[in-house]
């Protein structure tokens, strides 16, 4: 019905109309620009945060769980003293032996000790006591020598694993396996060298020198009431709920808690954190979406206002176009196209500003938003929303223009 | 279409009425007007101010709808058409020239002339050639890229005429086309209308001036929304010396 020439001129006219009223068009589109820009920036920040958090979670492992002592909420301090709620080695053993949904488990206890090689002595290195499952749980194996075995722990062997930083700091030969070092005054044989690849968890960096000894040996070198935590893997992330319940059941029994008693420990699975975080991120994204909706509404009213002004300013032009054969539909489409163009230009500028803001976010040191980025769907959605705003709010002025009586329009002053 | 209804007059208006309502007042702009105009006529419509000339022209140009009566163009009843059909008739059959030119101020002469093609059904190919040909006919090939404010009044009206004849309309309507022009320019513009008429164009011009009417073959005089007299130019000139015209029954002829 409408020939290609119509579309070419309608689009050209839409742009030239904006160009002819640059400042007015800019002020009108400001609502849309600000709305789209701020939402784009928020989505970029969220995308960055999500990417960051999820990669960190994933590096830890989705089926991973932690057990740590925890004083019940609102409970008097004297009723639950630390020494009473601390985890015990026997509890770790019980979980290992009884929980069918636990694939691997290790207690971890840390003690600061002086470490000494033939040529060098370093004070206060963190020495961790672990089971052989630690390799599986933390996904860290040896690059040299042998890993820990269950026998090391059961026989309380005086063996240790160290990392490359420790080798360097202690001036040990590059192939340190088989060398002997003094840990807390006791003689240990280096059984192997652990991979340096570190699992970083929220910047908690266990870099520099690391020394590991069998858990049973570490217990002997600790105070009487020492702190230990338990880390483990469920057989799969899908059974996390049941597995958590299993662990809780065993621990409650070990601690002699009757059904009504409050829990004196926490079992935390990573997958739950992930799920919670995803819900949170989705919630924030929805709020950002709501903000864009409101700003587009405000922007849209501005668009409607300016289009009404445009229609009344150009009444004679509309009359003339009708006099030379423009159908109501042609007039309607022309004004609608103008409103949509205005909104799309606004949306485009908004996205540009949003991207700029996203770039700024990645450069903030310490903000952990290096991966902030505007995803394609956000760009597409911004354009769709902008266009829809143009259509919805441009419709009324466009209909008004289309309905004008040609002769009355031509008589308009 | 023209051939299919060659036996019909180009324009046949029967009992046309137009009533305006302004507040409580009713204004009878046309009170049962009859008029028939054939192909390739050049007609002047005259009459005192308020006699209904513009109202009639707007009806003939399908810009406005009559309150009553019928208007057959090539035998088709225009008063029964919907908005889209009217738009098409305005685009294809009508060329309208206004007293105040009605050019789009930001567009060049060429773009202004091209305007009807935007709304044409098909046939928009070679639009530039067609627009240039129309500008050539009104003698403005050297002003193609000028905007209206860079043109004289006479030149603006020529652009408007080029726009009106672009789609080769059946009827060229001009409502006081020289009303805003001086006498020298008026003569130029009228020569242009006559040239178009010689080439076969039907032309209807509303005017107050006898000099303008002198270029036409036929003069229709209106009074109070009715035809007062409808004479050939020779008869009309002769009748101007009489105190009253033969066709008049309601009073003195307008002192033109
Ligand atoms: N839109 C309108 N609303 C109300 N009355 C109108 C309207 N247009 C015209 N009229 C009235 O209709 C009558 C005829 O007007 P019209 O414009 O046709 O006169 P005209 O012959 O063209 O006059 P002129 O020579 O001054 O242009 C006048 O009385 C005028 O007041
Ligand atoms: Mg008039």
């Amino acid at each position: 019905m409408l020939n290609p020439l119509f579309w070419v001129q309608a689009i050209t006219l839409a742009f030239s109309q904006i160009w002819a009223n640059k400042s007015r068009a800019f002020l009108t589109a400001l609502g849309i620009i600000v709305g789209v820009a701020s939402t784009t920036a928020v989505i970029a920040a969220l995308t960055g945060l999500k990417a960051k958090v999820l990669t960190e979670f994933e590096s830890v492992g989705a089926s991973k769980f932690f057990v740590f002592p925890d004083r019940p909420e609102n409970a008097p301090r004297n009723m639950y003293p630390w020494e009473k709620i601390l985890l015990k080695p026997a509890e770790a053993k019980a979980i290992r032996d009884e929980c069918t949904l636990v694939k691997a488990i290790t207690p971890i206890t840390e003690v600061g000790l002086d470490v000494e090689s033939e040529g060098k002595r370093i004070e206060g290195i963190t020495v961790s006591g672990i089971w052989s499952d630690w390799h599986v749980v933390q996904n860290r194996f040896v690059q040299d020598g042998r890993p820990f075995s269950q026998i090391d722990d059961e026989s309380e062997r005086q063996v240790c694993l160290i990392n490359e930083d420790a080798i360097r700091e202690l001036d040990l030969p590059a192939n340190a396996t088989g060398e002997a070092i003094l840990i807390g005054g006791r003689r240990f044989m280096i059984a192997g060298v652990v991979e340096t690849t570190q699992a970083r968890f929220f910047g908690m960096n266990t870099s520099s020198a690391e020394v590991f000894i069998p858990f049973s040996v570490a217990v002997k070198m600790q105070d009487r009431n020492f702190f230990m935590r338990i880390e483990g893997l469920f057989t799969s992330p899908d059974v996390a709920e049941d597995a958590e319940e299993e662990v809780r059941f065993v621990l409650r029994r070990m601690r002699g808690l009757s059904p009504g008693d409050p829990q004196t420990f926490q079992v935390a699975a990573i997958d739950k954190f992930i799920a919670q975080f995803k819900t949170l991120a989705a919630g924030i994204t929805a709020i950002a979406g709501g903000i864009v909706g409101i700003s587009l509404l405000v922007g849209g009213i501005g668009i409607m206002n300016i289009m009404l002004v445009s229609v009344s300013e150009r009444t004679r032009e509309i009359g003339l176009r009708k006099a030379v054969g423009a159908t109501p539909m042609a007039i309607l489409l022309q004004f609608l196209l103008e409103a949509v163009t205005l909104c799309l230009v606004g949306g485009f500028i908004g996205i540009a500003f949003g991207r700029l803001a996203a770039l700024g976010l990645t450069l903030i040191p310490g903000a952990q938003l290096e991966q902030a980025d505007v995803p394609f769907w956000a760009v597409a959605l911004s354009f769709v929303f902008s266009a829809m705003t143009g259509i919805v709010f441009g419709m009324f002025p466009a209909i008004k223009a289309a309905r004008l009586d040609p002769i009355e329009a031509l008589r308009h002053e | 279409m023209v051939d299919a209804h060659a036996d019909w007059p180009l324009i046949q208006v029967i009992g046309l009425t137009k009533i305006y309502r302004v507040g409580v007042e009713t204004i009878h702009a046309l009170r049962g007007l009859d008029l028939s105009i054939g192909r390739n006529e050049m007609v002047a419509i005259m009459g005192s101010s308020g006699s209904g000339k513009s109202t009639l022209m707007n009806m003939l140009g399908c810009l406005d709808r009559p309150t009553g009566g019928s208007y057959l163009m090539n035998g088709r009843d225009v008063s029964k058409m919907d908005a889209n059909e009217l738009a098409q008739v305005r685009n294809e059959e009508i060329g309208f020239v206004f007293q105040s030119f009605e050019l789009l101020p930001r567009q060049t002469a060429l773009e202004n002339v091209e305007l009807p093609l935007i709304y044409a059904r098909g046939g928009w190919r070679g639009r530039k050639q067609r627009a240039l040909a129309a500008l050539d006919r009104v003698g403005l090939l050297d002003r193609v890229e000028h905007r209206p404010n860079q043109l004289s009044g006479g030149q603006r009206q020529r652009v408007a005429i080029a726009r009106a004849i672009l789609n080769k309309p059946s009827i060229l309507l001009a409502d006081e086309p020289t009303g805003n022009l001086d006498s020298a320019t008026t003569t130029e513009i009228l020569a242009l209308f006559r040239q178009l008429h010689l080439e076969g164009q039907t032309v209807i011009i509303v005017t107050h001036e006898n000099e303008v009417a002198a270029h036409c073959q036929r003069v229709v005089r209106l009074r109070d929304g009715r035809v007062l007299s409808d004479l050939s130019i020779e008869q009309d000139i002769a009748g101007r010396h009489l105190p009253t015209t033969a066709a008049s029954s309601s009073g003195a002829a307008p002192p033109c």
Side-chain angles (χ1 to χ4, degrees):
Chain A
M1 174 194 120
L2 291 165
N3 72 44
L5 194 59
F6 165 80
W7 294 105
V8 172
Q9 79 92 32
I11 291 167
T12 318
L13 195 69
F15 278 105
S16 69
Q17 202 65 31
I18 292 172
W19 190 246
N21 304 301
K22 282 179 285 293
S23 42
R24 187 169 97 176
F26 178 77
L27 289 175
T28 305
L30 206 57
I32 287 172
I33 293 174
V34 169
V36 169
S38 52
T39 314
T40 308
V42 170
I43 289 175
L46 273 175
T47 310
L49 189 66
K50 208 158 131 185
K52 178 92 187 169
V53 169
L54 289 185
T55 43
E56 299 220 338
F57 277 143
E58 249 125 56
S59 76
V60 170
S63 61
K64 192 158 179 180
F65 71 93
F66 304 86
V67 184
F68 44 89
D70 187 29
R71 189 173 283 130
E73 239 176 284
N74 307 325
R77 188 173 278 266
N78 51 14
M79 237 177 92
Y80 297 100
W82 265 116
E83 55 272 22
K84 209 171 144 191
I85 61 170
L86 282 172
L87 293 172
K88 309 286 182 302
E91 291 171 333
K93 284 205 179 82
I95 294 172
R96 179 187 66 190
D97 296 339
E98 294 176 37
C99 292
T100 53
L101 294 174
V102 171
K103 184 169 77 179
I105 180 173
T106 180
I108 299 178
T109 184
E110 284 162 356
V111 53
L113 293 169
D114 297 346
V115 180
E116 197 175 345
S117 69
E118 255 172 52
K120 205 127 178 227
R121 175 192 172 88
I122 305 173
E123 291 175 3
I125 284 188
T126 303
V127 177
S128 308
I130 54 172
W131 282 350
S132 56
D133 264 2
W134 175 86
H135 293 293
V136 184
V137 171
Q138 296 243 336
N139 196 23
R140 289 181 68 189
F141 300 92
V142 291
Q143 60 189 48
D144 206 8
R146 67 164 180 86
F148 274 167
S149 71
Q150 212 174 325
I151 319 279
D152 292 328
D153 189 73
E154 281 166 6
S155 329
E156 296 178 20
R157 281 182 182 157
Q158 303 275 84
V159 288
C160 68
L161 299 173
I162 61 174
N163 70 349
E164 279 184 326
D165 280 339
I167 293 177
R168 203 173 328 107
E169 285 181 35
L170 288 165
D171 280 343
L172 288 164
N175 185 6
T177 311
E179 299 280 328
I181 52 171
L182 293 178
I183 300 172
R186 295 203 206 180
R187 199 181 152 82
F188 282 75
M189 208 254 299
I190 299 173
V193 180
V194 219
E195 290 165 340
T196 344
T197 41
Q198 296 278 325
R200 276 185 65 218
F201 191 64
F202 286 113
M204 217 165 75
N205 197 341
T206 46
S207 91
S208 77
E210 285 182 299
V211 176
F212 302 92
I213 58 175
F215 182 74
S216 54
V217 181
V219 170
K220 296 263 158 65
M221 299 166 83
Q222 277 280 27
D223 305 331
R224 202 167 60 83
N225 284 319
F226 66 94
F227 178 89
M228 62 169 264
R229 66 179 192 272
I230 293 173
E231 289 185 17
L233 294 179
F234 297 138
T235 48
S236 98
D238 310 328
V239 299
E241 293 270 301
D242 294 341
E244 259 179 76
E245 199 43 56
E246 210 179 37
V247 171
R248 224 173 272 135
F249 176 80
V250 170
L251 273 180
R252 285 187 77 94
R253 201 201 59 222
M254 291 291 293
R255 295 188 164 207
L257 298 172
S258 28
D261 291 345
Q263 198 158 282
T264 52
F265 59 89
Q266 277 292 330
V267 183
I270 285 285
D271 81 307
K272 230 180 202 166
F273 287 132
I274 295 178
Q276 270 175 6
F277 178 77
K278 279 184 173 163
T279 323
L280 183 75
I284 298 174
T285 309
I287 291 170
I291 293 170
V292 92
I294 291 169
S295 70
L296 285 183
L297 191 80
V298 173
I301 290 168
I303 297 284
M304 180 151 83
N305 182 47
I306 218 72
M307 288 312 295
L308 283 172
V309 170
S310 182
V311 168
S312 96
E313 276 177 353
R314 289 154 69 198
T315 303
R316 276 182 92 96
E317 177 191 327
I318 295 165
L320 174 73
R321 285 177 185 275
K322 291 196 151 191
V324 299
T327 56
M329 181 56 87
I331 299 289
L332 180 113
L333 285 174
Q334 184 189 314
F335 278 89
L336 214 50
L337 212 69
E338 210 171 298
V340 169
T341 307
L342 190 57
C343 288
L344 282 181
V345 169
F348 183 82
I349 296 173
I351 289 170
F353 276 126
R355 285 205 84 110
L356 222 62
L359 198 73
L361 287 174
T362 63
L363 299 178
I364 300 173
Q368 309 254 22
L369 290 171
E370 301 84 4
Q371 302 182 64
D373 188 21
V374 184
F376 175 74
W377 63 262
V379 175
L381 212 68
S382 298
F383 273 121
V384 169
F385 274 160
S386 304
M388 266 166 38
T389 307
I391 292 172
V392 169
F393 290 93
M395 191 55 91
F396 174 62
I399 289 176
K400 214 179 152 191
R403 286 216 184 132
L404 280 177
D405 184 67
I407 202 67
E408 265 166 31
L410 276 168
R411 248 187 234 126
H412 189 87
E413 289 310 306
Chain B
M1 188 181 296
V2 173
D3 292 333
H5 300 275
D7 46 331
W8 286 92
L10 180 58
I11 291 171
Q12 180 142 42
V13 168
I14 304 157
L16 205 66
T17 59
K18 180 71 184 178
I19 298 171
Y20 292 110
R21 280 175 217 287
V22 181
V24 290
E25 261 186 281
T26 4
I27 297 151
H28 294 262
L30 297 177
R31 311 167 180 258
L33 184 141
D34 301 322
L35 185 65
S36 176
I37 295 175
R39 276 172 207 87
N40 197 18
E41 279 199 78
M42 185 155 174
V43 181
I45 294 181
M46 300 187 74
S48 56
S49 187
S51 57
K53 304 182 296 294
S54 294
T55 307
L56 173 63
M57 286 297 261
N58 295 338
M59 303 289 163
L60 296 181
C62 299
L63 291 173
D64 208 353
R65 286 168 182 279
T67 310
S70 69
Y71 169 23
L72 304 181
M73 184 195 293
N74 280 320
R76 290 164 74 213
D77 193 347
V78 174
S79 38
K80 292 208 170 65
M81 290 183 178
D82 68 20
N84 287 329
E85 288 172 309
L86 283 176
Q88 195 191 328
V89 169
R90 288 197 290 263
N91 186 247
E92 294 172 359
E93 312 278 350
I94 308 283
F96 213 113
V97 178
F98 303 90
Q99 179 175 358
S100 48
F101 322 133
E102 303 296 344
L103 300 178
L104 299 182
R106 275 207 303 276
Q107 315 258 34
T108 64
L110 183 66
E111 288 166 339
N112 266 293
V113 173
E114 280 177 348
L115 199 63
L117 286 178
I118 289 168
Y119 304 107
R121 296 180 311 162
W124 56 278
R125 262 168 229 285
R127 62 188 166 109
K128 196 163 180 193
Q129 284 68 22
R130 282 171 67 184
L132 286 173
L135 276 168
D136 191 19
R137 286 188 74 184
V138 300
L140 275 184
L141 262 191
D142 52 343
R143 295 287 188 276
V144 166
E145 293 300 326
H146 287 231
R147 285 172 209 288
N149 62 4
Q150 299 165 325
L151 295 170
S152 72
Q155 287 168 335
R156 288 184 208 183
Q157 195 58 300
R158 284 163 187 270
V159 172
I161 294 170
R163 179 179 66 196
I165 61 174
L166 182 76
N167 274 345
K168 299 195 166 40
S170 314
I171 313 166
L172 183 58
L173 299 163
D175 191 350
E176 299 191 43
T178 58
N180 286 358
L181 302 174
D182 62 30
S183 59
T185 321
T186 298
T187 314
E188 278 173 38
I189 294 290
L190 283 166
L192 183 56
F193 277 118
R194 263 172 77 159
Q195 180 58 35
L196 292 168
H197 171 238
L198 283 177
E199 289 164 19
Q201 180 71 60
T202 309
V203 182
I204 303 173
I205 300 176
V206 166
T207 184
H208 281 290
E209 299 162 69
N210 285 325
E211 301 80 68
V212 172
H215 289 261
C216 303
Q217 305 166 308
R218 178 178 162 193
V219 181
V220 176
R221 289 184 186 269
L222 303 189
R223 179 161 173 175
D224 282 343
R226 289 197 192 90
V227 175
L228 175 68
S229 69
D230 184 352
L231 303 165
S232 73
I233 183 66
E234 294 83 6
Q235 290 173 308
D236 187 79
I237 288 170
R240 282 177 206 160
H241 307 297
L242 303 173
T244 55
T245 47
S248 170
S249 55
S250 57
C256 291

